[in-house]
């Protein structure tokens, strides 16, 4: 089947400062178990296309997601604070990140931003998007045990990207991340790890962008082990 999100009714509203956060996702799951999205095509998402939140055992297989290259924030698959996610055999051509792994912002209650863990992205094609596979920037609950393998990235702005910032919180440990057997062609910047990511209204404030050594406090994010193999 084919789902048309008719996002063109929403994209032009995303810059007026009033409806940006009100744009719907095409498929969104809250606190669900045993989700399987299989074999469908989704086009023209108003915002993020598939967004499971605080869910367990999520499989997204053989799905094609196509959003125009200039459609704002139309990420492909964004698992947030989930446990056990498999994305396999999918094709992405979107206006933002193809796959973005998240765990919420520090401002959210701790119970609503558990870690995102056990994520597998395999045998998928990401082309003509912003980031191919991205961790963050919302990582307040932490991200761990991520494996991205046997994928092709073509003509994306970024390849493998990690983004965080001050204010993500003491639980924001990103580690146990493995990228292997990846082919990239025409990718603007293949690898990015950014701890000063500019997002939200305060993204350019001094406490976010200051490059000097600062005391470790409740808002300091942490990064652990990463492996990049056969790319």
């Amino acid at each position: 089947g084919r789902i048309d999100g008719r996002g063109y009714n929403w994209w032009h509203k995303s810059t007026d400062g009033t409806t940006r956060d009100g744009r719907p996702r095409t498929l969104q799951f809250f606190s669900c178990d045993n989700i399987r999205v299989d074999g469908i095509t989704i086009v023209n998402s108003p915002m993020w296309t598939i967004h499971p939140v605080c869910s367990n055992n999520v499989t997204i297989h053989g799905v094609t997601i196509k959003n125009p290259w200039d459609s704002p924030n139309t990420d492909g698959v964004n698992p947030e604070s989930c446990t056990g996610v498999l994305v396999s055999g999918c094709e992405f051509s979107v206006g933002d990140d193809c796959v973005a792994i998240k765990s919420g912002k520090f401002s959210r209650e701790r119970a609503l931003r558990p870690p995102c863990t056990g994520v597998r992205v395999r045998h998928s094609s990401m082309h003509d998007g912003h980031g191919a596979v991205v961790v963050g920037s919302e990582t307040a609950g932490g991200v761990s045990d991520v494996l991205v393998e046997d994928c092709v990235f073509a003509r994306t702005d970024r390849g493998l990207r990690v983004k965080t910032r001050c204010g993500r919180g003491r639980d924001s440990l990103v580690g146990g991340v493995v990228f292997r057997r990846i082919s990239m062609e025409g990718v603007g910047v293949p690898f990015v790890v950014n701890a000063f990511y500019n997002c939200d209204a305060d993204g350019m404030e001094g406490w976010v962008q200051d490059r000097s050594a600062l005391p470790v406090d409740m808002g300091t994010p942490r990064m652990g082990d990463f492996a990049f193999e056969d790319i």
Side-chain angles (χ1 to χ4, degrees), residues 6-215:
R6 298 174 65 86
Y8 39 78
N9 291 322
W10 293 86
W11 299 329
H12 71 283
K13 300 177 183 179
S14 68
T15 58
D16 67 6
T18 60
T19 60
R20 186 178 187 90
D21 293 334
R23 283 181 291 157
R25 282 66 161 161
T26 300
L27 295 180
Q28 190 172 49
F29 306 93
F30 286 95
S31 300
C32 298
D33 294 329
N34 306 318
I35 301 165
R36 186 176 183 91
V37 182
D38 197 333
I40 63 174
T41 295
I42 304 175
V43 300
N44 297 320
S45 179
M47 196 177 169
W48 298 349
T49 306
I50 301 177
H51 182 208
V53 186
C54 296
S55 296
N56 302 307
N57 191 20
V58 179
T59 297
I60 300 166
H61 175 73
V63 172
T64 298
I65 297 175
K66 293 187 176 181
N67 302 316
W69 67 270
D70 58 348
S71 55
N73 304 110
T74 54
D75 295 19
V77 175
N78 287 9
E80 183 172 354
S81 295
C82 293
T83 299
V85 178
L86 173 62
V87 178
S88 66
C90 294
E91 178 187 359
F92 300 89
S93 180
V94 296
D96 205 333
D97 297 329
C98 297
V99 176
I101 302 164
K102 303 173 180 288
S103 61
K105 296 182 180 181
F106 190 61
S107 57
R108 187 179 299 173
E109 293 181 34
R110 195 168 185 177
L112 298 179
R113 51 176 174 84
C116 197
T117 186
V119 180
R120 303 290 181 264
V121 181
R122 294 184 170 124
H123 304 291
S124 294
S125 170
M126 293 82 166
H127 55 88
D128 302 303
H130 181 42
V133 176
V134 177
V135 178
S137 70
E138 299 90 344
T139 57
V143 174
S144 64
D145 187 18
V146 174
L147 173 61
V148 181
E149 63 181 357
D150 301 308
C151 292
V152 175
F153 304 164
R155 302 178 303 279
T156 56
D157 297 330
R158 306 288 185 266
L160 305 168
R161 187 181 193 190
V162 179
K163 50 188 183 182
T164 189
R165 49 163 281 188
C166 286
R168 284 296 176 248
R170 64 181 182 183
D171 299 321
S172 181
L173 171 61
V174 177
V177 179
V178 177
F179 300 103
R180 69 187 181 198
R181 297 192 300 274
I182 307 288
S183 174
M184 299 194 207
E185 179 179 355
V187 173
V189 184
F191 304 97
V192 182
V193 179
N194 184 356
F196 299 92
Y197 185 69
N198 172 24
C199 61
D200 300 329
D202 58 2
M204 294 305 296
E205 295 289 335
W207 64 275
V208 176
Q209 295 298 326
D210 189 351
R211 263 62 172 175
S212 62
L214 300 174

